[in-house]
Amino acid sequence: MNYAETLGVKAKAAESAIATAAPQVKNQALEAIAEALLQRQDEIVAANEKDLAAAEQNHMSKAMQDRLRLTPARIAGMAEAARQLIAAEDPIGAVDCGTIRPNGLQILKTRVPLGVIGIIFESRPNVTVDAATLCLKAGNAVILRGGKEAIHSNMALAAIMREAVASVGLPADIIQLVEDTSRETAADMMHLTGYLDVLIPRGGAGLIQAVLRQSTVPVIETGAGNCHVYVDKCLHGEADYEMAVRIIDNAKTQRPSVCNAIEGLVVHKDVAAEILPRVQQAFVSHDVTIYGDAATQTILGESVQPVTEELYDTEFNDYKITVKVAEDIDDAMAHIAKYSTKHSECIITRDLTAAQKFQRTVDAAVVYVNASTRFTDGGEFGYGAEIGISTQKLHARGPMGLHELTTVKYLVNGDGQIRV
């Protein structure tokens, strides 16, 4: 039995306890986690500083270091997210629908936990807490496998949460961390058929594709975010230009290392000369590198780097962006369809017909009109914390909250009926 299998055995042993736990017990565990995170924040920050020192030594980009960093404010945010789950309605036992058949059979479609969930993720140690607390509230055991760059942070957070859930009488093994960050152990985890009910990768495109190729466990595809903003020709002067630039700047620079930040900008040729210089000026404070097509280079000059097919297809997670000048909305949508990861896409326009066409045609989990893609987030949608953004179409799509961490069970009650 390999290391990953030992974790699977422990998770299966703990599965029933969390699946049948009363809502008040799960809420007590969440409160214990929130309180412990706040009380032991110095311990968490000290562990995180080890990871940050290694990141700097390994020349990790500043944007990715920010993704890795834990501060007292961020720890407080993690604790608050756990407490928000306490207020959330418990999905377990909810009845989706029910019928009474002509023969008297009563059929209820009810919500139950998925079981044991595996999560493979990169860099962001807050995912450790978000994932564990969401799985707990939805009645699931979880095995967490973070990246080696956050191992000290993740070990501290997992230990704190395990002690917290044990303090209210739940098995500590409903939350487990894979402490061996080797590729071999990750591969073993992808083959925990019989232990894991579902595997959720959360990170860059490389990680997600590796899991999809190798896993024998059912996978929910999440996270990769080659997102775009398209600026349509129908804008009504200065106020609309300012709105467009504000949205583009926020979507790119507010936090470039996350999956809902944009990596591509597409601008209609009729407004490109007005919009692109303003965008370039807005990007100056963050020193954003612009990769543009010939039309973009003509408008913005030598500061623009030439774009390539590979760059159009890249999720940068950094202060970099590709730019294309489009002939019309169809050209823009064709470009987006070619390079999008089907995460979040946006159109900026005052033309209702164009807006409706874009939302109807573009294939993505979330399609915006006149708003930043940075809102693709469970908390911003009012769902509380999220396990990730699903970019597939089966079972769950978009921000995955409590409901998406459940499945259904049919409860059928009879009075002696038999089939004839």
Side-chain angles (χ1 to χ4, degrees):
M1 181 177 292
N2 61 42
Y3 171 60
E5 288 174 324
T6 66
L7 300 181
V9 169
K10 292 178 182 179
K12 292 300 287 186
E15 177 184 4
S16 179
I18 186 60
T20 59
Q24 59 267 34
V25 174
K26 292 187 286 185
N27 288 341
Q28 288 168 6
L30 291 168
E31 177 57 37
I33 288 172
E35 187 62 29
L37 290 172
L38 295 174
Q39 289 183 354
R40 298 171 67 176
Q41 67 176 358
D42 290 345
E43 178 182 336
I44 297 167
V45 169
N48 183 244
E49 286 175 349
K50 295 180 182 178
D51 292 327
L52 288 170
E56 188 169 356
Q57 187 175 1
N58 293 327
H59 308 293
M60 181 184 285
S61 72
K62 294 297 183 183
M64 294 305 288
Q65 286 185 47
D66 177 67
R67 191 171 184 156
L68 177 62
R69 182 172 288 103
L70 290 177
T71 63
R74 289 184 179 179
I75 294 168
M78 291 154 57
E80 177 58 27
R83 285 183 166 138
Q84 287 176 2
L85 286 174
I86 296 172
E89 184 176 354
D90 195 309
I92 303 306
V95 176
D96 283 1
C97 61
T99 60
I100 298 177
R101 301 297 297 149
N103 62 2
L105 281 180
Q106 181 189 73
I107 302 175
L108 297 177
K109 183 180 181 181
T110 63
R111 286 279 144 192
V112 295
L114 283 169
V116 180
I117 298 175
I119 303 175
I120 298 180
F121 58 100
E122 298 172 326
S123 297
R124 295 170 63 187
N126 65 293
V127 174
T128 304
V129 176
D130 286 350
T133 52
L134 275 162
C135 287
L136 188 161
K137 179 76 175 191
N140 300 291
V142 65
I143 299 176
L144 302 157
R145 198 277 186 186
K148 63 182 180 181
E149 66 278 359
I151 186 59
H152 296 97
S153 307
N154 290 338
M155 288 176 64
L157 292 168
I160 288 168
M161 290 190 292
R162 284 170 58 85
E163 290 177 27
V165 299
S167 73
V168 301
L170 290 171
D173 287 337
I174 64 173
I175 300 171
Q176 294 185 87
L177 177 73
V178 179
E179 297 184 3
D180 178 354
T181 59
S182 67
R183 293 192 176 190
E184 292 76 16
T185 299
D188 289 340
M189 186 175 174
M190 296 177 208
H191 293 89
L192 285 182
T193 306
Y195 299 104
L196 293 180
D197 292 284
V198 67
L199 186 59
I200 304 173
R202 181 168 173 174
L207 169 68
I208 293 167
Q209 291 305 311
V211 173
L212 287 171
R213 286 194 303 269
Q214 298 179 45
S215 179
T216 58
V217 177
V219 175
I220 298 177
E221 184 178 353
T222 72
N226 193 357
C227 307
H228 303 78
V229 166
Y230 165 57
V231 183
D232 190 40
K233 66 179 179 179
C234 191
L235 298 179
H236 299 154
E238 192 67 28
D240 285 353
Y241 295 151
E242 290 180 3
M243 176 188 71
V245 173
R246 189 169 63 250
I247 290 170
I248 294 162
D249 186 35
N250 178 263
K252 177 69 261 183
T253 69
Q254 197 248 355
R255 198 171 181 189
S257 62
V258 293
C259 60
N260 57 23
I262 62 167
E263 308 293 12
L265 171 62
V266 186
V267 183
H268 193 288
K269 64 180 183 180
D270 290 357
V271 294
E274 286 285 354
I275 293 295
L276 290 179
R278 298 165 190 256
V279 170
Q280 183 181 46
Q281 184 60 39
F283 284 166
V284 166
S285 62
H286 291 284
D287 195 24
V288 176
T289 300
I290 298 175
Y291 301 99
D293 60 4
T296 302
Q297 293 178 67
T298 297
I299 294 169
L300 296 183
E302 296 180 355
S303 63
V304 175
Q305 303 296 312
V307 74
T308 63
E309 288 288 311
E310 183 180 6
L311 289 167
Y312 277 138
D313 206 30
T314 299
E315 182 184 16
F316 296 112
N317 295 132
D318 203 347
Y319 292 106
K320 300 177 181 180
I321 194 168
T322 64
V323 180
K324 171 186 169 62
V325 175
E327 289 294 312
D328 52 31
I329 188 172
D330 292 317
D331 185 29
M333 291 192 298
H335 178 85
I336 290 169
K338 184 175 182 179
Y339 300 107
S340 171
T341 53
K342 305 185 188 305
H343 188 297
S344 300
E345 306 294 347
C346 169
I347 183 174
I348 300 174
T349 186
R350 292 301 187 187
D351 184 338
L352 179 60
T353 300
Q356 292 176 336
K357 180 177 182 178
F358 190 87
Q359 287 192 310
R360 184 175 61 250
T361 305
V362 170
D363 184 11
V366 187
V367 183
Y368 292 87
V369 174
N370 298 338
S372 171
T373 59
R374 287 285 288 114
F375 285 108
T376 305
D377 178 276
E380 294 294 334
F381 279 20
Y383 303 151
E386 67 180 30
I387 209 79
I389 309 295
S390 172
T391 53
Q392 65 174 31
K393 298 180 182 179
L394 298 178
H395 170 63
R397 197 178 196 197
M400 293 178 59
L402 293 171
H403 185 272
E404 287 72 30
L405 295 180
T406 66
T407 185
V408 298
K409 177 189 287 186
Y410 286 89
L411 306 181
V412 183
N413 297 308
D415 187 28
Q417 290 91 335
I418 61 172
R419 184 170 177 174
V420 295

